[in-house]
């Protein structure tokens, strides 16, 4: 029967052939995709049709769809569903992010060595930043916790990644101890002043008593 019988997705290439035991001429590969609707297989960005064989050199997610062989007279044969998985990934922290830290997200293509992709970034399915090579949140809070993903207009969308945010548990530093040190210092100064005042008071009282006794002796 005239159906696509050759499928090769290694190295992101796709080859579909229409074969018929009696005659394979006049058959072409047609497809239906969610983006481009009904069209020839060669309408792909990197697609070409040679005889009854269609070759897509560099598949993208938009090449996902239903493919079938169609004759010049409009005769159609059994369709084949083909799914192209995206090579786009979201570069994100593996471990939870602590409140107050900086979070950096990048969009990459794991099938190439190209730099960061210029893509749209999403949180919980909602667009939060568009057409940028990286997304930076300078001060993370609990509200930033959620599912993140990125989407390139041609290479597709990355799987969703969960970003977890934990409460800050930083240790006390010099700035945290400043109020305590100031309070202790003020208390010590007050205590020392009080002791000096008490010592002077007792010293003056003792001197007055001694002088009074001496005068009494003279009078007697």
């Amino acid at each position: 029967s005239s159906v696509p019988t050759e499928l090769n997705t290694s190295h992101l290439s796709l080859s579909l052939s229409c074969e018929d035991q009696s005659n394979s001429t006049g058959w072409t590969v047609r497809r239906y995709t969610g983006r481009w609707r009904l069209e020839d297989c060669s309408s792909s960005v990197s697609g070409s049709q040679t005889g009854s064989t269609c070759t897509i050199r560099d598949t993208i997610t938009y090449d996902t769809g239903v493919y079938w062989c169609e004759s010049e007279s409009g005769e159609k044969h059994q369709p084949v569903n083909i799914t192209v998985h995206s090579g786009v990934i979201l570069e994100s922290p593996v471990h939870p992010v602590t409140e107050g830290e900086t979070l950096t997200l990048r969009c990459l293509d794991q099938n190439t060595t190209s730099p960061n992709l210029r893509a749209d970034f999403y949180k919980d399915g909602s667009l939060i930043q568009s057409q940028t090579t990286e997304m930076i949140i300078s001060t993370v809070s609990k509200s930033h916790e959620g599912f993140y993903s990125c989407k390139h207009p041609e290479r597709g969308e990355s799987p969703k990644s969960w970003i977890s945010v934990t409460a800050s548990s930083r240790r006390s530093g010099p700035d945290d101890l400043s109020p305590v040190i100031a309070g202790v210092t003020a208390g010590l100064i007050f205590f020392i002043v009080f002791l000096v005042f008490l010592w002077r008071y007792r010293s003056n009282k003792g001197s007055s008593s001694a002088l009074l006794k001496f005068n009494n002796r003279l009078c007697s």
Side-chain angles (χ1 to χ4, degrees):
S1 58
S2 300
V3 295
T5 57
E6 296 181 10
L7 179 62
N8 180 11
T9 56
S10 62
H11 303 97
L12 295 178
S13 66
L14 175 65
S15 178
L16 297 171
S17 296
C18 295
E19 295 182 354
D20 189 279
Q21 293 179 354
S22 59
N23 183 19
S24 61
T25 60
W27 291 91
T28 58
V29 179
R30 300 273 285 170
R31 72 176 188 174
Y32 181 88
T33 63
R35 184 184 184 187
W36 300 112
R37 304 302 178 186
L38 181 63
E39 61 184 7
D40 290 335
C41 176
S42 57
S43 299
S44 175
V45 175
S46 59
S48 62
Q49 182 92 24
T50 304
S52 61
T53 300
C54 175
T55 302
I56 301 176
R57 296 184 305 276
D58 187 11
T59 57
I60 58 178
T61 54
Y62 294 120
D63 290 320
T64 295
V66 182
Y67 291 72
W68 66 91
C69 288
E70 186 171 325
S71 67
E72 292 178 343
S73 61
E75 183 182 358
K76 301 178 180 64
H77 285 270
Q78 184 178 357
V80 175
N81 288 311
I82 296 177
T83 302
V84 180
H85 296 284
S86 171
V88 176
I89 59 173
L90 180 70
E91 185 182 64
S92 59
V94 178
H95 302 290
V97 184
T98 304
E99 286 182 321
E101 292 183 346
T102 299
L103 173 63
T104 302
L105 301 176
R106 298 182 180 90
C107 202
L108 307 175
D109 189 341
Q110 61 183 349
N111 298 314
T112 66
T113 57
S114 60
N116 303 343
L117 300 176
R118 183 172 293 277
D120 298 334
F121 289 83
Y122 295 80
K123 177 182 181 292
D124 297 328
S126 299
L127 178 66
I128 53 177
Q129 198 165 342
S130 60
Q131 291 301 297
T132 182
T133 55
E134 63 180 13
M135 189 187 76
I136 300 176
I137 302 176
S138 57
T139 305
V140 174
S141 65
K142 194 67 177 177
S143 63
H144 291 116
E145 191 171 75
F147 285 99
Y148 288 80
S149 64
C150 63
K151 185 177 183 180
H152 188 269
E154 294 181 356
R155 304 191 187 187
E157 185 175 4
S158 71
K160 292 179 174 60
S161 298
W162 174 259
I163 303 297
S164 180
V165 180
T166 59
S168 176
S169 58
R170 61 173 185 167
R171 298 177 180 178
S172 298
D175 294 338
D176 298 321
L177 295 177
S178 295
V180 178
I181 295 175
V184 172
T185 302
L188 288 175
I189 293 175
F190 177 81
F191 183 71
I192 293 172
V193 171
F194 174 77
L195 290 178
V196 172
F197 177 81
L198 182 62
W199 177 77
R200 287 186 175 181
Y201 173 78
R202 290 184 176 180
S203 297
N204 292 335
K205 185 176 180 181
S207 299
S208 300
S209 300
L211 180 60
L212 180 60
K213 290 180 180 180
F214 180 74
N215 291 336
N216 288 338
R217 288 178 182 177
L218 290 177
C219 294
S220 59

